[in-house]
């Protein structure tokens, strides 16, 4: 079976790096994306259990300025993934090198800041299609290239990626078995980061913005029962700055009778030190659903 798996991989993607870790392998692959019209990298942690059979898969979405390397090297997720037999996929956060005027002008828009939307503005709509990349193209590549049980997949993320995880989950009822987030941008239509990104990628019609806002999407969610876990550091500088707005999401969940657990963590900031501290909890949260 292993020979068949790796034969398929060579046909679909190119291996960039490989390191043995906790009995499995942390790898990075690249492929030519049809959605984004550029080469994309993504991290893959293959636990030891992947040597002998298919495993559930957990997608991670990173935050502003990140590449796939931030999660691979800083999140401390591999030990728990090996314990629970879960494959973790960690893609880049945006297209790169598309030669779009202005794509390198700021850290919170353009390169490294795809916001997991499908852009509709002319300048960006050809390449900036991270929503379709994450929910359609990347799973197709992963399912055809790795020993993945495609019926058992979940999603989580951080900050901009936490926003991405929540909207991917809420817009696709039943596609993902569970969702969690660290310090997500919960209500982007009402925060400076989201307003900048959405006006640039989606235009001035704010009604269209609501289709990528978790606090709006949860109000009309109709699907299987949900189990949402969010961790938020109390010392996160972006919390008082009004960028994250977790209370807005909790209020929307309460209004819609959608269960959510928001854990406010004393003394923790917005960094990977915070995420690494609670990563085992999140993987255990997903394992409960992925292994059911």
């Amino acid at each position: 079976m292993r020979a068949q798996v790796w034969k398929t991989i060579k046909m679909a993607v190119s291996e960039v790096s490989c390191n043995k870790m906790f009995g499995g392998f942390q790898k990075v692959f690249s492929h030519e994306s049809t959605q984004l019209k550029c080469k994309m990298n993504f991290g893959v942690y293959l636990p030891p259990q992947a040597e002998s059979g298919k495993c559930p898969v957990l997608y991670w979405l990173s935050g502003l300025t990140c590449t796939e390397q931030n999660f691979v090297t800083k999140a401390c997720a591999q030990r728990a993934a090996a314990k629970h037999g879960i494959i973790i996929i960690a893609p880049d956060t945006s297209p790169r090198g598309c030669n779009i005027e202005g794509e390198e002008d700021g850290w919170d828009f353009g390169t490294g800041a795809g916001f997991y939307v499908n852009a509709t503005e002319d300048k960006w709509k050809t390449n900036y299609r991270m929503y379709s990349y994450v929910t359609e193209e990347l799973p197709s590549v992963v399912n055809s290239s790795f020993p993945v049980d495609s019926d058992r997949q979940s999603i989580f993320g951080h900050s901009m990626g936490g926003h991405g995880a929540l909207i991917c989950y809420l817009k696709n009822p039943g596609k993902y078995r569970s969702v969690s987030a660290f310090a997500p941008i919960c209500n982007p239509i009402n925060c400076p980061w989201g307003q900048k990104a959405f006006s640039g990628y989606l235009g001035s019609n704010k009604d269209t913005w609501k289709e990528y806002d978790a606090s709006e999407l949860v109000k009309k969610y109709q699907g299987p029962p949900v189990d949402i876990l969010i961790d938020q550091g109390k010392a996160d500088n972006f919390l008082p700055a009004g960028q994250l707005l977790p209370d807005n999401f909790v209020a929307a969940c309460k209004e819609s009778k959608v269960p959510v657990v928001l854990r406010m963590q004393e003394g923790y900031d917005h960094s990977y030190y915070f995420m690494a501290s609670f990563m085992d909890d999140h993987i255990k949260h997903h394992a409960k659903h992925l292994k059911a």
Side-chain angles (χ1 to χ4, degrees):
M1 177 179 176
R2 185 183 180 192
Q4 292 175 342
V5 168
W6 292 111
K7 182 179 179 181
T8 306
I9 286 176
K10 291 178 181 178
M11 294 169 59
V13 296
S14 300
E15 187 174 302
V16 176
S17 64
C18 174
N19 297 93
K20 191 163 187 177
M21 199 173 188
F22 299 115
F25 290 93
Q26 177 61 63
K27 295 173 177 281
V28 174
F29 291 88
S30 68
H31 75 116
E32 292 292 335
S33 169
T34 57
Q35 286 286 348
L36 309 181
K37 307 296 188 296
C38 68
K39 180 179 287 187
M40 289 292 286
N41 284 355
F42 60 94
V44 181
Y45 180 69
L46 295 168
Q49 296 87 336
E51 293 280 344
S52 57
K54 291 186 175 182
C55 296
V57 59
L58 180 55
Y59 287 88
W60 168 266
L61 304 183
S62 291
L64 289 164
T65 75
C66 291
T67 70
E68 77 289 341
Q69 287 298 319
N70 296 76
F71 178 82
V72 167
T73 59
K74 297 179 179 181
C76 299
Q78 293 90 346
R79 184 192 297 271
K83 175 183 176 181
H84 293 288
I86 296 173
I87 293 172
I88 300 184
I89 306 296
D92 202 346
T93 51
S94 78
R96 293 181 188 270
C98 296
N99 297 317
I100 301 172
E101 182 184 0
E103 68 181 345
E104 304 285 351
D105 288 354
W107 63 273
D108 56 357
F109 184 78
T111 299
F115 262 86
Y116 304 103
V117 304
N118 284 346
T120 54
E121 291 295 281
D122 286 344
K123 186 175 179 179
W124 305 97
K125 66 182 183 181
T126 298
N127 302 98
Y128 278 69
R129 297 180 51 81
M130 285 299 293
Y131 174 74
S132 288
Y133 177 72
V134 166
T135 60
E136 298 173 15
E137 183 179 7
L138 183 59
S140 178
V141 171
V142 167
N143 293 344
S144 65
S145 303
F146 302 96
V148 164
D149 182 347
S150 59
D151 292 329
R152 294 187 292 160
Q153 61 180 4
S154 292
I155 193 165
F156 67 151
H158 167 239
S159 194
M160 178 185 73
H163 141 77
L166 290 171
I167 65 166
C168 288
Y169 180 82
L170 294 169
K171 287 169 71 70
N172 298 276
K175 184 180 183 73
Y176 304 99
R177 292 199 177 188
S178 53
V179 64
S180 72
F182 295 89
I185 302 172
C186 290
N187 191 196
I189 67 174
N190 287 316
C191 79
W193 280 339
Q195 291 166 350
K196 178 179 179 177
F198 285 10
S199 61
Y201 295 136
L202 304 174
S204 59
N205 184 353
K206 294 186 178 181
D207 285 338
T208 64
W209 297 8
K210 294 179 180 180
E211 292 304 309
Y212 294 105
D213 186 303
S215 295
E216 295 294 327
L217 289 169
V218 77
K219 295 176 184 178
K220 58 182 182 180
Y221 176 81
Q222 293 183 338
V226 303
D227 184 7
I228 303 172
L229 172 63
I230 296 175
D231 271 314
Q232 172 63 60
K234 285 188 176 182
D236 188 327
N237 291 336
F238 299 117
L239 188 61
Q243 296 285 20
L244 307 176
L245 304 175
D247 290 341
N248 292 12
F249 182 67
V250 170
C253 288
K254 184 176 180 180
E255 177 185 331
S256 305
K257 296 181 172 57
V258 172
V260 59
V261 174
L262 171 62
R263 308 191 307 185
M264 301 299 295
Q265 304 291 1
E266 191 71 44
Y268 287 92
D269 58 18
H270 199 72
S271 71
Y272 269 85
Y273 296 112
F274 158 54
M275 285 177 278
S277 299
F278 299 100
M279 186 60 65
D280 284 7
D281 287 355
H282 281 245
I283 293 179
K284 183 178 179 181
H285 166 81
H286 293 292
K288 176 178 65 176
H289 297 278
L290 289 170
K291 298 168 75 173

